[in-house]
Amino acid sequence: MKRYPSPTMVTFGLLGAAMLTVLVAPVVTLAFYLDAESLSSLLHADPRTVNAIQVTVVSSGASVAIMTVLGVPLGYVLARSAFPGRGLVICLIALPMVLPGLAGGILLLLTFGRLSVIGRIAERLGVSLSDNFLGIVLAQVFVASPLVIISSMVAFGSVDERLEIAAATLGDSAWRVFWRVSLPIARPAVMAGIVLAWVRALGEFGATMIVSYNPQTLPVHLWVRFQADGLSGAIPLAFVLLVLALGAAVAWILLSRPLPTNRHGLQSARKP
Amino acid sequence: MRSVLDAKVTKALATRRGPDFVVDVDLTFDIGMTMIIGRSGAGKSTLLACIAGVTNPDLGLVKIGDRTLTCTQSGIALPMHRRRVGFLFQDLALFPHLSVRENVAYGIHGDTATRKERTERVMDSFGISNLWNRRPHEISGGEQQRVALARTLITEPTALLLDEPMSSLDPDTKSAIIDDLRLWNSERRLPVVYVTHDDSEVLAMGIRTVTMSQGRVVNDAPSTNARAHSSHNVSQVSALVVSFDPVTMVAQCRLMNSDIVIAAHRPGSTPGDIVTVALNPEVSSYDRRISHSS
């Protein structure tokens, strides 16, 4: 017998379609404005654009590595320990996500800029934390790492603790339990956080522009070209960013497939 | 030579309302099986957690033979992975990202050939060789139970803790697995602590049964003559609860269409309840458990 959708589903479907239109329309519109010839010449002939792509890819890659190495363990600690002020720590971690990028950049400049205490110490050691590649990485880590930390915290928090206890009673130290049980089970959600953080780092504009205007990343270069040449100069660069983001979105979907769960939603998957 | 497990444990647990709940137990678990029964919140799982090292007692001593696992007085608290205490949870905690073979082999080390040979041998002995590459969610509850047991026993623990591991299994599967476990233990001879609130398991096993209530041992019944018998033939009959002792949690149950009354551990029973009682027909004498009603 043919089943017709309920009025609730029809209403929700229409609302969802309106939402999808807002999300998809700009992407489709960009395709209409894209001139293949100008895109090709831009990528082949403009060294500033090629350099911006290189800076963006390398800096976001470095940021992702740093965020993963430092952020995933922090997420695990927050998921597995209770201490006074834990809620406050989580609020502070989430702050850069909700802070406007430009404001974040100003905070970073005050803390790590040439005139700051940390900045001066770093200068004395021969390292500059602003107006260079390091500054870009710093800005990207600042704005994007909350995505890694919070997704890791949620991912590890949803790993049934009894699995870790079972592994420990089978002879594994806490270190081995993390690598053999906790991380493999939490992997889809942790990977999702890492990919989202990479996308965020890739498109980072506000904080990067304040902390390190040069060398230019793709978003900063896009802004510069828009200022100089208007839409015609900016469209090919927007397309490049869109392609990178699309790749990340596909990676996010592929890497974040969940493990099978049982009827209780626990990963231990016991059948009734 | 295997050794007995001594657990002298005092642990205060915070409650949302009212004073702290205190678990205060001093028990020696001989080689073989000991059942611990009691209603929810009696402190059974806390006792197991203290023995396994999941949590540390406020005061106490846990040792297996001469090997001290916990001694609060001298500050000894071996971490879980060094205790060699097998722990089987109610929901089994099979690793969902690993195959059955990988689950069973999880706790053993050595070269690949040795691990494979040992894993095959143990899987054979538990009748799960056919599940080699399956994932835990792809096998039945009884098979999962066997996998969890094999995974725990392959590490050759010095004691085995079972926290209501068969609560969701049907009686036949349960009986078969208990027999497997008995067979294994007749060779290994470990102290096995089996926590349950299922009366049919208690009767089928016919072994020493410790009853806990509000953190304390309220009854410690020695083994009955049912121990030597197979549990395959356990039959279940309906009975009417005629009286209930809230301290020992023993209910007097009169079998339906009969004047036979059986004393059974049934936490939370109320006179007038219709309950199911498990009987092992091979046991010729229930003299300690059965009396004729007047």
Side-chain angles (χ1 to χ4, degrees):
Chain A
M1 199 176 84
K2 193 173 177 182
R3 287 186 65 193
Y4 293 97
S6 66
T8 307
M9 283 303 284
V10 172
T11 311
F12 283 12
L14 289 172
L15 293 170
M19 183 77 251
L20 267 177
T21 306
V22 174
L23 293 175
V24 176
V27 178
V28 176
T29 309
L30 180 66
F32 285 111
Y33 282 90
L34 197 62
D35 176 0
E37 198 180 325
S38 66
L39 176 66
S40 172
S41 63
L42 179 82
L43 293 175
H44 286 98
D46 186 354
R48 288 173 305 169
T49 303
V50 175
N51 188 53
I53 293 172
Q54 282 173 349
V55 168
T56 304
V57 171
V58 176
S59 64
S60 62
S63 303
V64 163
I66 292 168
M67 289 186 282
T68 304
V69 171
L70 304 181
V72 174
L74 179 55
Y76 184 77
V77 169
L78 290 170
R80 283 287 179 257
S81 55
F83 54 88
R86 180 177 171 275
L88 181 67
V89 171
I90 293 170
C91 275
L92 290 173
I93 287 168
L95 201 60
M97 273 201 309
V98 291
L99 200 67
L102 291 170
I106 288 165
L107 291 183
L108 285 174
L109 210 56
L110 288 172
T111 314
F112 300 105
R114 291 175 196 282
L115 301 176
S116 71
V117 176
I118 296 172
R120 275 183 297 203
I121 293 169
E123 293 273 347
R124 264 186 228 158
L125 296 170
V127 183
S128 178
L129 299 175
S130 59
D131 299 316
N132 59 10
F133 182 80
L134 216 54
I136 296 171
V137 173
L138 190 64
Q140 289 175 344
V141 169
F142 180 75
V143 299
S145 58
L147 291 164
V148 175
I149 300 165
I150 289 171
S151 64
S152 299
M153 181 183 77
V154 173
F156 289 121
S158 65
V159 173
D160 186 356
E161 216 166 338
R162 280 165 297 190
L163 294 172
E164 295 178 343
I165 294 171
T169 60
L170 293 169
D172 268 0
S173 63
W175 177 257
R176 283 175 63 84
V177 170
F178 176 80
W179 288 104
R180 294 182 77 191
V181 175
S182 316
L183 188 59
I185 294 172
R187 185 190 54 81
V190 171
M191 286 307 296
I194 290 171
V195 173
L196 284 176
W198 179 58
V199 178
R200 180 73 183 85
L202 211 61
E204 213 310 291
F205 171 68
T208 310
M209 206 168 77
I210 299 282
V211 177
S212 188
Y213 186 79
N214 278 307
Q216 285 176 5
T217 59
L218 206 48
V220 174
H221 187 56
L222 172 71
W223 171 250
V224 171
R225 291 296 295 266
F226 180 65
Q227 292 291 309
D229 306 328
L231 274 175
S232 61
I235 285 172
L237 292 170
F239 179 73
V240 173
L241 271 172
L242 185 72
V243 169
L244 288 171
L246 201 63
V250 171
W252 177 56
I253 289 167
L254 291 178
L255 294 169
S256 58
R257 275 180 297 187
L259 286 163
T261 55
N262 68 1
R263 67 194 167 121
H264 304 298
L266 298 174
Q267 295 98 345
S268 48
R270 179 174 185 165
K271 270 196 177 176
Chain B
M1 182 184 158
R2 298 292 181 177
S3 307
V4 298
L5 163 65
D6 289 306
K8 184 175 165 54
V9 164
T10 303
K11 174 88 179 170
L13 302 169
T15 53
R16 285 186 185 173
R17 289 177 191 170
D20 284 358
F21 170 76
V22 180
V23 176
D24 188 11
V25 172
D26 184 358
L27 286 166
T28 296
F29 299 101
D30 294 322
I31 287 162
M33 245 183 246
T34 303
M35 305 287 277
I36 298 186
I37 61 169
R39 68 176 69 186
S40 211
K44 311 181 297 289
S45 295
T46 303
L47 171 63
L48 294 196
C50 288
I51 296 170
V54 178
T55 185
N56 286 319
D58 302 328
L59 209 65
L61 175 72
V62 178
K63 58 180 199 169
I64 300 173
D66 295 334
R67 194 161 158 263
T68 303
L69 307 185
T70 303
C71 178
T72 51
Q73 205 172 6
S74 51
I76 296 171
L78 279 188
M80 273 186 280
H81 67 282
R82 293 211 182 119
R83 292 190 171 227
R84 297 191 60 208
V85 172
F87 197 165
L88 208 60
F89 294 90
Q90 188 173 6
D91 81 338
L92 303 180
L94 292 176
F95 305 126
H97 59 299
L98 302 178
S99 67
V100 165
R101 175 182 56 82
E102 289 165 332
N103 263 281
V104 174
Y106 187 92
I108 53 170
H109 304 287
D111 60 89
T112 311
T114 312
R115 292 182 69 201
K116 190 165 181 276
E117 187 272 324
R118 230 170 114 187
T119 308
E120 277 174 3
R121 188 157 35 87
V122 171
M123 287 179 74
D124 271 347
S125 69
F126 278 92
I128 50 173
S129 303
N130 56 323
L131 311 174
W132 195 252
N133 281 321
R134 306 264 284 276
R135 296 273 166 162
H137 70 280
E138 295 170 337
I139 61 178
S140 72
E143 288 167 337
Q144 289 184 349
Q145 181 67 54
R146 284 199 164 85
V147 172
L149 209 50
R151 182 184 70 174
T152 305
L153 295 177
I154 201 172
T155 59
E156 298 186 345
T158 51
L160 180 60
L161 312 177
L162 308 166
D163 192 0
E164 302 192 36
M166 300 187 207
S167 55
S168 64
L169 298 183
D170 63 87
D172 285 346
T173 311
K174 203 182 287 186
S175 295
I177 291 171
I178 288 171
D179 279 352
D180 281 352
L181 186 57
R182 275 184 169 158
L183 189 67
W184 178 280
N185 205 34
S186 64
E187 295 167 15
R188 281 5 183 236
R189 300 186 53 74
L190 309 177
V192 178
V193 185
Y194 191 121
V195 163
T196 185
H197 59 249
D198 186 338
D199 291 345
S200 68
E201 286 175 34
V202 177
L203 204 57
M205 307 278 264
I207 52 172
R208 177 189 172 197
T209 305
V210 174
T211 308
M212 285 184 68
S213 176
Q214 297 183 334
R216 284 173 170 75
V217 173
V218 292
N219 190 31
D220 191 347
S223 49
T224 70
N225 57 3
R227 178 168 47 186
H229 295 267
S230 161
S231 56
H232 272 307
N233 295 321
V234 169
S235 58
Q236 298 190 340
V237 292
S238 294
L240 175 75
V241 175
V242 290
S243 66
F244 176 67
D245 183 339
V247 177
T248 59
M249 284 184 289
V250 171
Q252 301 293 326
C253 309
R254 196 179 73 226
L255 304 191
M256 288 299 181
N257 305 317
S258 140
D259 60 353
I260 296 172
V261 174
I262 290 179
H265 294 281
R266 283 204 67 88
S269 292
T270 310
D273 283 353
I274 303 293
V275 297
T276 303
V277 175
L279 294 174
N280 187 341
E282 290 184 22
V283 179
S284 56
S285 168
Y286 277 99
D287 54 342
R288 289 196 326 101
R289 291 176 178 264
I290 299 182
S291 63
H292 290 277
S293 63
S294 54

